[in-house]
Amino acid sequence: MQGDGDGWVFDADGQRYWGRHGAAGLLLTAPLGDDVDGIAVLLQHRAVWSHQGGTWGLPGGARDSHETVEQAAVREAHEEAGIAASDLEVTDSIVTHRASSGWTYTTVIARTAHQITTVANGESAELRWVPSTSVADLPLHPGLALAWPALVDRLQF
């Protein structure tokens, strides 16, 4: 589905960012399991054809002009992972990247009662629930790799 936010923004230094009105991603958390303490997070293994393909990131994408960052992140998670808005509760949001052009990426943190089943679209090679303590061991999208240390401190369940 194409919205009015689809398109690249270019900084003066040549860096490019997807989302004419910025972008947002959903950091969805769930308990690890009945007998295991800890938090799992849903990660997306990005399709090789996509920007930064082959890395692990969050379901997310371009924000449309009429959307809040929370609405954009939840919509993108539905499109890319089949997650229904009714299955989650948004708990926090944080701008995790701000470009010199004014473009921003906001990570929206949400939780769900259990590790819900996901359905990947063509933008995902795989979707996986990962223990929060193992996230940094994966080849992360550069933006998520930079933001992860601050994000992990905000996770709760």
Side-chain angles (χ1 to χ4, degrees):
M1 175 191 295
Q2 187 165 359
D4 73 349
D6 287 353
W8 294 102
V9 171
F10 295 89
D11 273 353
D13 65 2
Q15 291 279 60
R16 65 182 181 150
Y17 302 96
W18 183 250
R20 294 177 50 229
H21 308 288
L26 188 73
L27 177 54
L28 186 58
T29 65
L32 272 176
D34 293 335
D35 300 328
V36 183
D37 285 337
I39 297 172
V41 298
L42 181 64
L43 294 182
Q44 174 193 52
H45 194 193
R46 300 170 61 82
V48 293
W49 59 264
S50 68
H51 185 59
Q52 300 291 342
T55 62
W56 288 87
L58 305 176
R63 179 179 161 204
D64 289 336
S65 61
H66 65 277
E67 293 179 306
T68 66
V69 290
E70 291 83 3
Q71 290 168 332
V74 171
R75 175 186 50 78
E76 287 284 344
H78 177 71
E79 291 174 8
E80 296 178 4
I83 297 166
S86 59
D87 288 338
L88 58 90
E89 174 192 1
V90 172
T91 60
D92 200 1
S93 64
I94 180 174
V95 173
T96 49
H97 186 80
R98 186 177 307 275
S100 61
S101 62
W103 181 93
T104 58
Y105 184 91
T106 302
T107 301
V108 175
I109 302 171
R111 62 182 170 203
T112 186
H114 62 284
Q115 296 176 34
I116 57 178
T117 302
T118 58
V119 179
N121 75 356
E123 295 181 42
S124 306
E126 178 184 358
L127 294 164
R128 183 189 304 170
W129 287 98
V130 177
S132 62
T133 56
S134 300
V135 169
D137 297 336
L138 295 169
L140 298 177
H141 180 283
L144 180 57
L146 285 173
W148 184 248
L151 289 170
V152 74
D153 289 339
R154 296 180 97 134
L155 300 181
Q156 58 178 319
F157 208 88

